[in-house]
Amino acid sequence: MKLFLSLLASMVYCPLLLASGPIGVLPETYSILEENIKVTLEEDFGYVEEVDQSLLLLSSSALDHAQFECLINSFTKLLDFEAKIINPLSGKTLQTIKRKQLKEKNLVSDGTLYGDNKLLFFLPTPQQYPIKIEYRWKRHVSGNFHLPRWHPYHYFNQLIKKATFEIAYPEEIGLRYKSNVSLLPPTEIQKEGKVSLFWELSDLPSLTESADDLPEVATAPVHFSMQGYRGNMQTWEDFGKWMHLLNHGKGDLSEGSKALVHTLVDSLMDPYEKIDRLYKYLQKNYRYVSIQLGLGGWMPENANSVVQSKFGDCKGLTMLLKAMLQEAGIPSDYTLVRSGSEAKPIDLDFPSNQFNHAILRVPLEEETIWIECTSTTLPAGFLGKSTMDRHVLVVTENGGVIDRTPSYSQSNYHRINHNLHLELLPQGNAHLHGTKVIEGFPASTFTHLHKNTSEKEFTTFLNSHTGGGLVIQEFSMATENEGKVPLVNLKYQGDVQRFYQSTSKRVLIPLSWTTWDLEEITTGAGELKEMLIIQLNQDLEWDISPPQLSYSCEYYSLDILADLKDDRLTIEKKLDIHFPEDITADKRNSVFREIKKALNQQLSFIKN
């Protein structure tokens, strides 16, 4: 997953988890926490966060609760730190830890070219329990683009004896906050142009599982600044204006690059063909790297710099394609998105930095094309699961506009047509020739792995995702995207171990041998077809009448047909899935179990 606006993490996380309190608690409580947090916004748009925490560890199960981690970089500095490990029975301090004793490691992930993030950390190793740990620390952040979010709960199995959160700010900078319904309004104090908001909670029970409506306060500035770039965050329109300011001048192309664009597309008339041609050029000639250095976490690289270096992060590659399309006469919009297949939706009612990635929106007369500029395999117009079906912030000349990416809910975004020819061999084995036409999401998985793994690794993937006991001897794969839908044609042959069972009188052949990855169909529609033509190695007749079954319900239909003629057995299956948008995960999994139960049957034959 690509990181964008990477300093978000550095300005959010310093998770120290500590407390003190009585020892007589429920068995599922591992630790008891007291925590006081104060955030002070400064007139120069920086802020200071001070934390005073005390944690009572009741057993070794709570050891993770006591870890200290703080991300530092060019914006964030840890000014002061002290930890004390105390015997709670005697009150004696056993050990004191200062800032210089913290361990440090560079945070450079795979694919990161530039980055200045470092992690300061400490994990106590007590020899006895209960043990008390006290932390006091202070950090300074030079920029209020992202302010801390208060979560009194840090871990499961942690009782909150007391938790306070105070945030003070100059009136001229302003502050917005959003708390959930379980919290009372804060105490507010105004004095000499300063405003202070204060929340306090106590005696919160420990949790053993996730719960809805946990106490939480989100904060964001009205006016903000990062490295001299000032903006307003009160509306999405204003937020987008600031992003447009950062992007200003980044889309300039050299005369040579402009000439190349015209060479590539001037012979084409259709706008989508031009988009597709330029996107494929980008995919072929540029590679993705992560840039997490200073303001580079938010500001794109200049398009010419990307051209010269032949690499860029999501922001730089998006800006380059935007610049090339502009030269081709096709306007497009730089767009911010919260990426991740499991990412929570952004809060539309609370304009703030909630994004970690950049993509491109290309509005045409008949449709809107969405492009993932970091991919080297996806077709133009297909985003994939990490950014599909969610609200995004489109950055225009007039500010930010909320839009939504496609859901790809039609069946052609999850369609598989599998044809298999098997020759039964002795000892339950079979030789197999197969062809598979794969469309949509499963095709994108195949193309990504085919391009980014070794042949041995990809063959292992094919073996495990085709059918049980398969050992592929050779394969060929062609990517032939059907317009905006990924499409793969796969041909392979190999041997299947223990494909069928043979006794003295009967032969059992599986109704369905193929691995059907139904769980990938989360919403919308899917279509799976399979035909098995099995060349028998002996004279057989039906033991039980051949299945000609049809299953149908609100969410799917499944048709099965089996036919035996002479020495050839043909099995055909067709599955159509149609899930509504609001289907629950439990119901979806229940449907999958029903389908797999129907497919998990054996066909029984008598030997003649």
Side-chain angles (χ1 to χ4, degrees), residues 61-91:
S61 299
L63 189 57
D64 288 346
H65 297 192
Q67 64 182 331
F68 170 84
E69 294 181 346
C70 185
L71 198 63
I72 62 171
N73 49 42
S74 57
F75 287 99
T76 306
K77 309 297 180 187
L78 184 62
L79 302 179
D80 192 22
F81 172 86
E82 182 182 81
K84 290 183 178 181
I85 300 178
I86 301 168
N87 184 326
L89 302 178
S90 66

Side-chain angles (χ1 to χ4, degrees), residues 132-205:
K132 181 180 179 181
I133 304 175
E134 293 182 348
Y135 284 99
R136 290 181 178 84
W137 55 270
K138 179 194 294 186
R139 67 170 180 153
H140 179 268
V141 180
S142 57
N144 63 342
F145 180 62
H146 195 101
L147 298 179
R149 181 184 290 257
W150 185 45
H151 301 276
Y153 278 105
H154 297 299
Y155 288 104
F156 291 126
N157 306 101
Q158 185 173 73
L159 184 149
I160 313 299
K161 183 180 179 183
K162 182 181 178 182
T164 68
F165 179 63
E166 180 180 0
I167 184 163
Y169 60 94
E171 285 185 305
E172 62 184 18
I173 289 181
L175 182 85
R176 298 173 298 118
Y177 71 87
K178 185 175 183 180
S179 59
N180 59 9
V181 295
S182 65
L183 282 174
L184 295 174
T187 300
E188 180 174 337
I189 300 174
Q190 298 187 28
K191 184 179 180 181
E192 298 178 354
K194 306 281 187 179
V195 181
S196 177
L197 304 176
F198 182 83
W199 287 264
E200 180 175 354
L201 293 171
S202 59
D203 299 325
L204 301 180

Side-chain angles (χ1 to χ4, degrees), residues 418-424 430-435 492-494 496 513 531-535 568-569:
H418 205 175
N419 289 284
L420 302 160
H421 292 259
L422 293 104
E423 178 185 354
L424 298 190
H431 186 69
L432 167 68
H433 289 263
T435 63
Y492 62 94
Q493 63 172 305
V496 184
W513 168 79
M531 175 179 284
L532 283 82
I533 299 176
I534 301 173
Q535 185 68 43
R568 177 171 292 187
L569 172 65

Side-chain angles (χ1 to χ4, degrees), residues 6-14 47 70-73 75-76 117 139 141 298:
S6 58
L7 290 180
L8 169 120
S10 70
M11 304 180 75
V12 175
Y13 300 114
C14 233
Y47 70 87
C70 185
L71 198 63
I72 62 171
N73 49 42
F75 287 99
T76 306
N117 288 331
R139 67 170 180 153
V141 180
W298 295 285

Side-chain angles (χ1 to χ4, degrees), residues 372-418:
E372 172 54 71
C373 297
T374 64
S375 171
T376 58
T377 58
L378 295 179
F382 184 81
L383 289 175
K385 287 188 176 180
S386 65
T387 54
M388 61 171 271
D389 194 22
R390 66 198 64 198
H391 286 106
V392 296
L393 183 67
V394 180
V395 179
T396 73
E397 293 182 356
N398 299 318
V401 177
I402 295 293
D403 200 350
R404 191 173 184 93
T405 56
S407 64
Y408 305 118
S409 58
Q410 301 91 331
S411 62
N412 62 324
Y413 288 106
H414 202 295
R415 179 183 289 157
I416 297 176
N417 193 346
H418 205 175

